[in-house]
Amino acid sequence: MIRWFAGHPTAGNLLLILILAVGLFAAPNLTRETFPDYLPPEVSITMEYRGATAADVEEAICQRLGEALQRVDYMKEVSCTARDNQAQTIASMEPRGDMGRFLDDIRTEIEALTDLPEEAEDPVIRELYRTSLVAAIAVYGPMSFSHLEAYTSQLEDRLFAMDGVADVIPVGLSQRQWHIEVSRELLRQYGLGVRDIARAINSQNLDMPLGTIETDSQDIQLRFVDERRSLQALAELPVIGGAAGAVLTLGDIATITEAHEREEERVDFNGQRAIVLEIHKNRHDDALRVMDSLEAFIDEEKGRRGGNVELEITQNMTSIVKDRLQMLVGNGITGLLLVGLVMALFFRPRLAFWALFGLPAAFAGAFVVMALTGLSLNMITLVALLMAIGIVMDDSVVITDNIAQWHADGNSPLEAAAKGTREILPGVLSSFLTTVSVFIPLAFLAGELGAVLEVLPVVLIAALAASLIEAFWILPHHLKSGLGKRREKAPSRFRSAFDTGFESVREKVGQLADGAIRFRYGVLAAMLLILLGSVGLMAGGHVRMEAMPEIDGDVLEARVLMPQGTPLHQTRAITERITSAMLRLNEEYTPDQPDKQALVQNIQTRFNQHADAGEKGAHVATVMADLLTAELRTVDLATLTDRWYEEIGDIPSLIALNIQEPGFGPRASPLKCACKVLTWMS
């Protein structure tokens, strides 16, 4: 088979074209993301129980939910966190279960409960990790907040219509309410009570079906609609009517104002009140494609509005994906060129070129397998491809060298290609099987880390398998053509100098090896000393071990936790202090950035949000700073975090201040909350 491909004039080329064509067809369809999908299948059940302590929530809700959910099929674990005013339950499903049926079973079991507190709100049941954040849009400008809210609602509908957008979540908004205030004197004057006012409003705000009128030509559905949809309409609502026809309206006796349910549901963006729209995608959609569409949408919207409103991208989760992919691809191309240059020093340039050409075939084969198995182009799969460069080039160098040696011994190009390849076949195959046996156990690791690393052996082995096809069926034919007829030609001055220098280096290495053999016991003792020293460094903690490396992102967060009951104005004063500290750091580090670009691109404050504490209220807040991309800025996050702590200083009455970046990969954030966690294992 090797000789047939080496001697056939077109078979090798056709096979190479086929591999490259299929790979080029599969590559654009690969999803690009930072890490593979590693999050477990889980369902969240949230119940609000206002006014209850964590102990009350545990007894009245958590215990009942835990007992009920144990009857659900494929339930792996149930964990309920009891906090003041809220119960948060996480139900984990076994991998072999079906999420749709799992959700239905959970709803059925919860709806069957009859002993939950009547004061508790209905449970909110949703699948976790169904979508992932792409970026957020901060909407602000010189307009009233009500107009800003209306405009943001229109934007939300239009964003939903974009391809790849799975969800749009507004932040900084709460339920709009109308407050009606009536003085006691007026109530006594007209003989009214609060219930009379409420009854009048309820009875004159109706939207209900009245039935159907059936005619010979058509059926007409009737509906009674009498709703007040503005403050003016509500003020004109009759409360009391006199016998003479006089009417006392609600606006005559009450002060009506518009407000929102939770004052602490607020976002300040670059010092202005804003509404933030978080754009989410489905887990299997390409984040960079969604981001490109989002940027085009914002540019179009800015041109349409003519500067009347500001739209800024914040929390860009794709920047780190794009930067890391470009970095890894750039490093791979650089390594490929260096390998080609080094090989050209030892072989004819034509032979070096064909030996190097095996890498595109290996990558194309890996892309095909990734597309068929649903794998994405992420940091782990790219690392596997980078590892494949070295292994593939080792095989190509060995085969090329052996074929060139057979040709130098007087064999024809065809005989040299066939015999040289067959001779090296057992060694290359054993090397491939050794690599497979080393990396294949990674595919069977459990947990989140296993879900991340299991893709590495799949991609690596696919690339190596494709490279074997290229090395044994395609490369010999190309090398045969590159060998051509032997011609006696004087080597160039550079070639003569290089060969002489390399022979001298090889001779010195040989002498060094001979010396090592003569003093083998001393060499063995030195190796054992180095080995023991390495073990000692690891055991002593001088060499740090961690499952996943820390990755510098482009967002840094300061999460504030104050005692419960802290008023909003006091929390705002603390967040303003934290924001001012970051702005001072921006002035300090901006002159050191490339082209003096601002270190802090945007800064926002979200009240009623703290990812670690899991609490809601005016006593928690998060300050987010969008930074210059990690590929450009000259200061790392660790240094910036320490300096931010120093600039903030001590804050009285503060429970906790955590400055960190949103995590990437399977690294959980510590949970710090005044709560109790109950866990049931199936």
Side-chain angles (χ1 to χ4, degrees), residues 270 579 581-587 589-590 593 597-604 624-628 640:
N270 291 337
T579 301
M582 175 54 74
L583 294 178
R584 290 195 298 271
L585 293 177
N586 180 51
E587 296 176 358
Y589 286 106
T590 292
Q593 308 310 311
Q597 299 181 69
L599 174 65
V600 180
Q601 303 291 301
N602 297 297
I603 189 165
Q604 63 174 299
M624 302 178 180
D626 294 327
L627 305 175
L628 188 65
L640 194 59

Side-chain angles (χ1 to χ4, degrees), residues 186-194 196-197 239-240 248 253:
L186 286 175
L187 289 176
R188 285 196 296 266
Q189 179 180 346
Y190 293 102
L192 296 173
V194 175
D196 298 324
I197 302 293
V239 177
I240 301 176
L248 183 69
I253 62 174

Side-chain angles (χ1 to χ4, degrees), residues 6 59 142 235 258 282 324 327 342 368-369 379 403 424 558 605 671:
E59 181 179 357
E258 185 177 80
N282 289 318
R324 294 314 189 271
M327 178 188 67
V342 172
V368 172
V369 173
M379 296 184 66
I403 291 176
I424 212 70
T605 303
L671 181 66

Side-chain angles (χ1 to χ4, degrees), residues 326-394:
Q326 289 179 346
M327 178 188 67
L328 291 174
V329 171
N331 290 346
I333 294 175
T334 302
L336 184 63
L337 295 177
L338 291 176
V339 169
L341 291 175
V342 172
M343 289 187 65
L345 295 176
F346 298 94
F347 303 105
R348 297 180 188 179
R350 190 173 180 181
L351 296 181
F353 170 77
W354 286 121
L356 199 65
F357 209 74
L359 281 174
F363 283 9
F367 291 153
V368 172
V369 173
M370 290 169 64
L372 293 176
T373 55
L375 300 182
S376 63
L377 198 62
N378 53 68
M379 296 184 66
I380 305 300
T381 53
L382 279 175
V383 167
L385 293 175
L386 291 178
M387 294 172 62
I389 292 178
I391 301 175
V392 169
M393 293 316 303
D394 285 346

Side-chain angles (χ1 to χ4, degrees), residues 587-653:
E587 296 176 358
E588 177 182 341
Y589 286 106
T590 292
D592 300 331
Q593 308 310 311
D595 300 328
K596 295 186 178 181
Q597 299 181 69
L599 174 65
V600 180
Q601 303 291 301
N602 297 297
I603 189 165
Q604 63 174 299
T605 303
R606 294 190 180 185
F607 299 93
N608 194 38
Q609 178 174 315
H610 193 300
D612 290 342
E615 298 183 23
K616 297 288 186 179
H619 65 292
V620 295
T622 300
V623 180
M624 302 178 180
D626 294 327
L627 305 175
L628 188 65
T629 176
E631 301 300 314
L632 296 178
R633 66 174 182 263
T634 58
V635 57
D636 59 87
L637 288 187
T639 302
L640 194 59
T641 299
D642 293 339
R643 291 285 292 113
W644 202 1
Y645 274 120
E646 294 175 4
E647 287 291 327
I648 294 171
D650 295 331
I651 299 177
S653 304

